[in-house]
Amino acid sequence: MLLGLIRPTSGSVRLMQMDPLRDHVRALEHVGYSPELPNLQSFLTPQELLRLTAKELGLGREETERQLPVLLEDVGLIQYQDYKIAKLSKGMVQRLSVAQALVGSPKVLILDEPMIGIDPAGVVRFRSMFREFVRDGGTIVMSSHILSEVESLCTSLVVIHSGRILFRGGIEAFIRERLGSRSILVEIADASTKAGGGSALLGGISALGGVKRVTPAPEGLLVEVASDSDPRAEISRLVVEAGAMLVGLGYSRSELDEAYLNAIRGTAAQ
Amino acid sequence: MRASRVLTFARYEIRRAVARKKVLALVALTILLDTAPYYALASSRTAIVPPPLHPYLWIVGVFVPQAFFLQFIALLIAAGSMSEEYEQGTAEVLLSKPVSREEYFFGKYLGGYALLVAIVVLNALLSIASATFVFGPQVQLEILPLTLVSQAFSALVFFSFAFMVGELMRRSSLSYILSSAVFFTSQILGIYLNLIFTLTGGEIYKIANLYLPTSPVDSLPLLLAEPSFPSTVLTLFRFGGATPVETSVAMSAVLIAGYALGAVLVALAYFRRADVAKRVT
């Protein structure tokens, strides 16, 4: 719908302030798109596919010659540029799909499940590419079911379930809204020692405003706090004052999953 | 609409069609059909082909495939042109770029048609080369350009029809079956209507036959070429069973243009309005 390929049954879409259905060419001039599990032309090679994309975008020969090797290098396919796409693995095709979305230096990237089928090294490479893209002023609209990916890459979130928007806003706000309490993992280097897991430290953290419960964990301490409070700064001060070595302090990684599940359960109950 | 983008899609379509084994097999069959019969005829040349006809034997290879083979190639190229892109999910990626639907549509149409024209030309050249090699120098070749144009023009009917069916159905197998069914039904119906007209003399059968889509396709190249040849040679044109209906060049041309344009307009109108789904399975 965002790309003007499907007509909405109701409502409207604006992309680069234009209607992608009526003004398809201008609206998509600075937009790159990578579909979920891309079915790219198996009879072409990666290089030929990117050339075709460049021609669709109307890039000149010089610009095409400049961009293509860089993009193929960026996605790790430079040594496979003359292989038929039919011979590439699923992960390689996914990488190529992202590369074709980046041809022409778009300002907006629309990515549908970009990390599916990608090996761990590729995931790291993609994360860094996407962050660089955003740092350079670009915008990424990404759909994903991998919430850890969403948490690590996205700044704002739209949760859609059964065709309905359940939430729109920041990730932190979503978690706060959906979870009654949040878990902060306090990673301490010497967690087993008296300083790390000592009762003074436990007592000090428990006494902080908004803290509901503190339990020892293998990495240090797990602090359950009310969702509308953020005592991380005080916790870090207390750990340091207790003479322990603070290694890490942050919200538990599974929070977004829990919040998402809560949100879905909420709609099921309705 | 930018011509450069239409050309890009046309080139892409040729590349895509050539990559399909079906089309390659048909080209191989064209080569076989254009060479083997001449060697077969040569092996018993005194019995089958009288020597005065030898300089005209190129006609057999050029005109015999007109009624069935070239139309069938047109159907095969066009029926998959749009539908396979939906089935393979490649239409979505191609149309997610800043290109208009018209550029994509006409690019694919022209690319497929260019490939068909190339096969028509290949068919003619191979026929002439084989006839020359086996039976000696060929004559009356000055009619060839007009013949090629008329054959390419005639092929527009079933090429456009299959292209339209491919867009409407978005399933390649269904498109092949449906467009082939229409083609063969029209051919068979034409034979029956001709027979009934011969037996009864009823004008209605003749008129009905005239408007069948296969009638102008079969007739136009013959109507344009036959007057340039001596009457003794005309049997060569009917070698493959092609039977032109009694019509004029103008009428045939108008019917061909009408059928082709109608199909293209229906396909374009549908394509402009229809959703491009992720992948048709």
Side-chain angles (χ1 to χ4, degrees):
Chain A
M1 231 177 265
L2 262 178
L3 298 161
L5 300 179
I6 297 173
R7 282 169 199 277
T9 46
S10 63
S12 61
V13 174
R14 285 285 178 277
L15 186 65
M16 311 294 285
Q17 297 177 326
M18 280 172 270
D19 181 348
L21 263 175
R22 289 185 181 177
D23 213 352
H24 186 81
V25 175
R26 285 204 309 141
L28 289 167
E29 236 162 31
H30 302 291
V31 177
Y33 167 63
S34 166
E36 178 190 5
L37 300 174
N39 299 289
L40 304 176
Q41 288 77 355
S42 55
F43 56 91
L44 297 178
T45 65
Q47 195 182 167
E48 287 168 339
L49 179 81
L50 297 193
R51 276 187 203 287
L52 172 68
T53 308
K55 280 186 180 166
E56 279 191 274
L57 291 162
L59 290 193
R61 184 175 295 199
E62 249 179 57
E63 186 58 20
T64 305
E65 295 308 319
R66 190 188 66 76
Q67 284 196 17
L68 257 53
V70 177
L71 283 171
L72 286 166
E73 183 73 57
D74 282 352
V75 297
L77 287 178
I78 192 82
Q79 64 272 44
Y80 301 102
Q81 62 177 334
D82 295 321
Y83 283 50
K84 291 276 184 230
I85 293 174
K87 304 271 180 204
L88 301 182
S89 71
K90 201 186 278 183
M92 286 175 177
V93 175
Q94 184 72 41
R95 287 197 232 171
L96 182 59
S97 173
V98 171
Q100 64 81 30
L102 286 163
V103 174
S105 311
K107 290 176 183 163
V108 176
L109 262 187
I110 299 174
L111 307 173
D112 193 355
E113 302 280 4
M115 302 299 191
I116 283 188
I118 305 271
D119 59 282
V123 169
V124 172
R125 189 194 288 255
F126 268 14
R127 273 189 202 146
S128 130
M129 270 174 68
F130 295 155
R131 285 192 182 116
E132 195 180 320
F133 180 82
V134 172
R135 226 180 4 254
D136 292 343
T139 302
I140 297 180
V141 180
M142 177 177 114
S143 79
S144 179
H145 286 91
I146 308 170
L147 297 183
S148 58
E149 238 13 276
V150 172
E151 203 164 10
S152 74
L153 281 170
C154 301
T155 49
S156 59
L157 182 76
V158 177
V159 181
I160 303 172
H161 181 64
S162 300
R164 281 181 57 211
I165 293 176
L166 301 182
F167 177 84
R168 189 196 311 237
I171 291 177
E172 288 289 310
F174 176 62
I175 292 168
R176 270 201 304 276
E177 184 186 299
R178 288 293 167 178
L179 296 181
S181 60
R182 306 186 66 183
S183 297
I184 296 172
L185 181 64
V186 185
E187 290 179 76
I188 300 168
D190 47 355
S192 57
T193 65
K194 200 180 173 195
S199 57
L201 179 59
L202 278 170
I205 294 174
S206 301
L208 292 173
V211 172
K212 291 182 172 178
R213 190 169 49 179
V214 183
T215 46
E219 303 91 340
L221 300 167
L222 199 61
V223 184
E224 194 181 330
V225 300
S227 62
D228 56 353
S229 68
D230 185 4
R232 283 177 295 177
E234 286 96 327
I235 292 172
S236 85
R237 181 179 54 78
L238 288 174
V239 173
V240 174
E241 280 175 7
M245 286 172 68
L246 184 63
V247 176
L249 182 76
Y251 289 107
S252 164
R253 284 198 177 275
S254 61
E255 277 193 315
L256 187 57
D257 296 81
E258 284 172 33
Y260 177 72
L261 288 173
N262 271 359
I264 288 174
R265 277 191 215 111
T267 49
Q270 288 166 23
Chain B
M1 194 159 67
R2 272 170 59 172
S4 62
R5 286 206 190 106
V6 175
L7 209 61
T8 296
F9 284 121
R11 282 202 203 101
Y12 162 78
E13 179 59 16
I14 293 171
R15 182 79 203 277
R16 197 191 69 84
V18 169
R20 288 156 68 208
K21 290 190 176 73
K22 267 178 270 186
V23 175
L24 283 180
L26 278 172
V27 172
L29 196 61
T30 308
I31 294 168
L32 190 71
L33 281 177
D34 285 333
T35 49
Y38 287 104
Y39 292 98
L41 286 172
S43 63
S44 55
R45 70 168 73 172
T46 47
I48 297 175
V49 188
L53 290 181
H54 287 185
Y56 297 99
L57 276 174
W58 66 272
I59 292 169
V60 176
V62 173
F63 283 90
V64 168
Q66 166 68 22
F68 283 96
F69 191 62
L70 289 181
Q71 309 315 316
F72 198 60
I73 291 180
L75 291 176
L76 272 180
I77 293 174
S81 181
M82 298 292 269
S83 56
E84 285 173 2
E85 297 278 9
Y86 297 118
E87 284 176 336
Q88 290 156 10
T90 43
E92 186 200 16
V93 180
L94 289 169
L95 288 165
S96 69
K97 303 288 179 288
V99 293
S100 71
R101 291 203 183 192
E102 289 78 10
E103 287 165 345
Y104 175 83
F105 180 92
F106 287 115
K108 287 188 72 69
Y109 183 89
L110 290 176
Y113 186 63
L115 182 67
L116 177 63
V117 170
I119 293 174
V120 168
V121 173
L122 175 73
N123 172 58
L125 295 180
L126 278 173
S127 298
I128 294 164
S130 301
T132 307
F133 187 71
V134 178
F135 292 98
Q138 301 294 295
V139 298
Q140 210 72 6
L141 289 172
E142 57 273 16
I143 197 76
L144 188 65
L146 182 64
T147 299
L148 290 177
V149 169
S150 66
Q151 285 191 323
F153 181 64
S154 306
L156 274 173
V157 173
F158 285 99
F159 180 84
S160 305
F161 180 74
F163 194 84
M164 176 193 76
V165 174
E167 170 53 25
L168 299 182
M169 297 286 142
R170 300 192 169 193
R171 302 280 196 286
S172 58
S173 307
L174 209 58
S175 310
Y176 293 131
I177 292 168
L178 189 63
S179 42
S180 302
V182 170
F183 170 68
F184 286 115
T185 304
S186 177
Q187 283 286 15
I188 292 164
L189 212 58
I191 293 167
Y192 278 114
L193 287 170
N194 197 31
L195 179 69
I196 297 168
F197 169 68
T198 312
L199 294 174
T200 65
E203 277 294 307
I204 185 77
Y205 302 110
K206 188 182 165 187
I207 294 167
N209 191 12
L210 193 70
Y211 286 98
L212 286 175
T214 41
S215 297
V217 171
D218 292 350
S219 302
L220 185 67
L222 294 175
L223 289 170
L224 284 168
E226 280 182 349
S228 307
F229 290 86
S231 58
T232 49
V233 175
L234 297 186
T235 49
L236 292 177
F237 286 97
R238 314 293 161 83
F239 195 78
T243 48
V245 292
E246 280 179 45
T247 182
S248 64
V249 169
M251 178 72 171
S252 295
V254 166
L255 283 175
I256 288 169
Y259 282 131
L261 195 64
V264 170
L265 290 177
V266 169
L268 181 62
Y270 184 79
F271 179 61
R272 288 180 70 176
R273 295 286 307 167
D275 289 345
V276 178
K278 278 192 163 189
R279 186 177 185 173
V280 179
T281 51

